Amino acid sequence: MGISELIDKISQYDKEADLDFLKKVYEFSLSAHQGQVRISGEPFILHPLEVANILAELHLDVVTIAAAILHDTVEDTKASILEIKEKFGEEAALLVDGVTKLTVISQSKENIEDFDLTIEEDQAVNLRKIFLAMAKDIRVILIKLADRLHNLRTLSSLPINKQKFIARETMEIFAPIASRLGLWHIKWQLEDLAFSYLDSSIYKDLADKLVKRRIERESVVQETIKIIQEKLKELKVEARIEGRPKHIYSIYQKMNTKGKDFSEIYDLFAIRIITNTVEDSYAALGIIHSLWMPLKDRIKDYIAMPKANNYRSLHTTVYGPGNEPLERLYQESKIRSFKFSSFRFYASFRCN
Ligand code: MN
């Protein structure tokens, strides 16, 4: 990922983005971080670029992307907030300042505890509160989450005690914040990465099993998607369909809380139908229920009753496709869950 790929990506979702501004921001960050390398040996600038890239995937605005590119300059280089304000404006400077302050909190805790692996739960709750309260602009938290995600992706080059500390802090503070903001995609990645460092043997075992099951299931999932696509087309419902395996940490949690074995976890795959309008979400739900029998008590309408974080979608679990008798289907655990998201949900996180 270089600056030109990043700029390409942004210009695809924001036609009016000031790309020259971003180039200037990049040049500034590049020269500020000149000569710095990460522990992995990579040039430092790749880190802020990747953080910006994670945020571009969430279709964030140019100022947030700029702040992401600059996010470590005040902390780690000679650049000052005043300089950033003069060059790139007050809004970007406020975001960078917010991210820098959150970094300071996190690091002071790290020093006090000297990588102690048992953070008291209420302390984690406190820290989560401080984080949320301190960031007057939610975009500060988004940058911080993207920063953490990239740090986790490159965690293997750090010493083991530091890996464990960061992984635990991610589980206790960052993943719950991502969850509270409805950023599921970020939350899942944070959890799976952190889990792989906290309990690598269980993680590997589950990952292997999931891959095996995925290969077994892949054709069924593809076939299911095809059936839905045809029906949607027939009824003129515009939608995008995504099939995705459940993430590893959530399988682990389910096994733990329900005392189940891996072979007893049925809904390993979810299919997501993303529509353009709320009406189409309901239409898609109707299509699924007319194709396959829904399970009792598994239908959730978060469009009519959004979650506290404004998450809006419909969930259902159905007995999967096929003409086999229901009972046999159940025994063979061909149960799949479907999630419908209205596009509006994603749009609601483009913050101002
Ligand atoms: Mn950083």
Side-chain angles (χ1 to χ4, degrees):
M1 164 63 54
I3 184 67
S4 49
E5 284 108 309
L6 179 66
I7 281 179
D8 274 356
K9 187 174 278 180
I10 295 161
S11 57
Q12 274 165 34
Y13 67 80
D14 183 355
K15 305 276 179 230
E16 271 142 48
D18 187 344
L19 303 178
D20 283 338
F21 171 74
L22 280 179
K23 280 178 198 151
K24 279 181 201 136
V25 164
Y26 172 72
E27 291 303 325
F28 178 85
S29 185
L30 183 66
S31 76
H33 289 297
Q34 195 66 54
Q36 291 180 342
V37 284
R38 302 194 86 206
I39 295 173
S40 63
E42 286 179 332
F44 192 89
I45 190 68
L46 294 177
H47 166 63
L49 265 182
E50 282 300 331
V51 172
N53 182 49
I54 291 167
L55 295 167
E57 270 158 23
L58 295 172
H59 290 192
L60 280 152
D61 62 283
V62 168
V63 179
T64 309
I65 303 288
I69 296 172
L70 296 166
H71 82 272
D72 277 324
T73 54
V74 174
E75 177 74 19
D76 296 339
T77 78
K78 284 182 188 146
S80 71
I81 279 294
L82 197 68
E83 206 177 347
I84 288 174
K85 187 176 162 183
E86 279 165 4
K87 285 195 160 74
F88 308 116
E90 178 144 33
E91 203 184 341
L94 280 172
L95 293 179
V96 174
D97 193 40
V99 175
T100 308
K101 281 176 178 152
L102 291 188
T103 306
V104 171
I105 296 184
S106 186
Q107 282 177 353
S108 65
K109 188 168 70 67
E110 199 172 301
N111 294 333
I112 291 164
E113 300 203 354
D114 198 27
F115 306 152
D116 187 345
L117 298 183
T118 53
I119 304 172
E120 295 292 331
E121 177 58 18
D122 56 342
Q123 213 177 324
V125 172
N126 276 339
L127 206 68
R128 234 177 282 161
K129 280 188 192 148
I130 296 170
F131 264 62
L132 287 168
M134 269 195 55
K136 293 178 198 94
D137 188 324
I138 195 74
R139 294 177 299 178
V140 169
I141 298 280
L142 299 183
I143 297 169
K144 197 66 200 164
L145 288 173
D147 179 41
R148 174 54 55 111
L149 180 55
H150 186 246
N151 284 336
L152 279 175
R153 284 179 185 164
T154 51
L155 201 58
S156 62
S157 35
L158 293 188
I160 284 174
N161 62 339
K162 186 122 188 176
Q163 287 176 356
K164 296 254 184 202
F165 178 87
I166 291 175
R168 187 164 292 264
E169 191 187 56
T170 301
M171 283 293 196
E172 293 181 345
I173 296 156
F174 291 89
I177 290 174
S179 171
R180 216 178 126 179
L181 297 174
L183 299 163
W184 309 117
H185 193 60
I186 302 274
K187 175 195 179 236
W188 294 327
Q189 292 182 68
L190 289 173
E191 282 181 347
D192 273 9
L193 282 162
F195 185 47
S196 74
Y197 285 95
L198 288 172
D199 207 326
S200 61
S201 59
I202 294 182
Y203 178 88
K204 277 199 197 92
D205 179 49
L206 287 177
D208 286 350
K209 285 177 173 156
L210 198 60
V211 167
K212 280 195 196 122
R213 192 81 84 89
R214 189 185 304 173
I215 295 165
E216 268 170 42
R217 294 282 171 187
E218 192 57 35
S219 62
V220 184
V221 171
Q222 289 313 320
E223 188 205 333
T224 308
I225 291 179
K226 223 176 106 195
I227 296 171
I228 300 170
Q229 263 166 346
E230 280 165 14
K231 199 80 185 167
L232 288 168
K233 208 174 151 196
E234 191 185 314
L235 296 172
K236 298 196 166 53
V237 176
E238 257 183 65
R240 197 173 81 238
I241 304 178
E242 290 171 359
R244 66 163 183 83
K246 235 192 165 68
H247 78 297
I248 289 167
Y249 186 63
S250 79
I251 292 171
Y252 172 73
Q253 275 180 312
K254 205 162 184 177
M255 287 167 62
N256 259 357
T257 55
K258 304 207 168 151
K260 286 189 169 165
D261 188 69
F262 181 81
S263 62
E264 297 171 287
I265 305 289
Y266 296 145
D267 53 346
L268 292 174
F269 295 93
I271 288 173
R272 229 149 57 105
I273 303 177
I274 297 134
T275 58
N276 294 320
T277 66
V278 166
E279 289 73 21
D280 280 353
S281 277
Y282 285 108
L285 181 69
I287 287 170
I288 296 303
H289 284 176
S290 69
L291 285 168
W292 301 293
M293 163 95 85
L295 264 81
K296 239 181 118 190
D297 302 327
R298 294 295 296 271
I299 304 164
K300 296 198 178 94
D301 186 341
Y302 295 118
I303 291 182
M305 287 167 284
K307 288 195 184 185
N309 59 25
N310 206 28
Y311 173 72
R312 298 181 75 208
S313 78
L314 305 169
H315 294 191
T316 188
T317 305
V318 297
Y319 296 98
N323 296 317
E324 294 143 280
L326 206 61
E327 213 181 278
R328 204 174 130 212
L329 275 177
Y330 191 75
Q331 281 167 358
E332 288 182 359
S333 62
K334 282 186 180 168
I335 302 170
R336 221 153 275 110
S337 64
F338 292 92
K339 290 193 166 86
F340 305 86
S341 273
S342 121
F343 178 72
R344 282 161 199 216
F345 156 61
Y346 292 101
S348 67
F349 287 97
R350 289 178 206 167
C351 311
N352 40 29

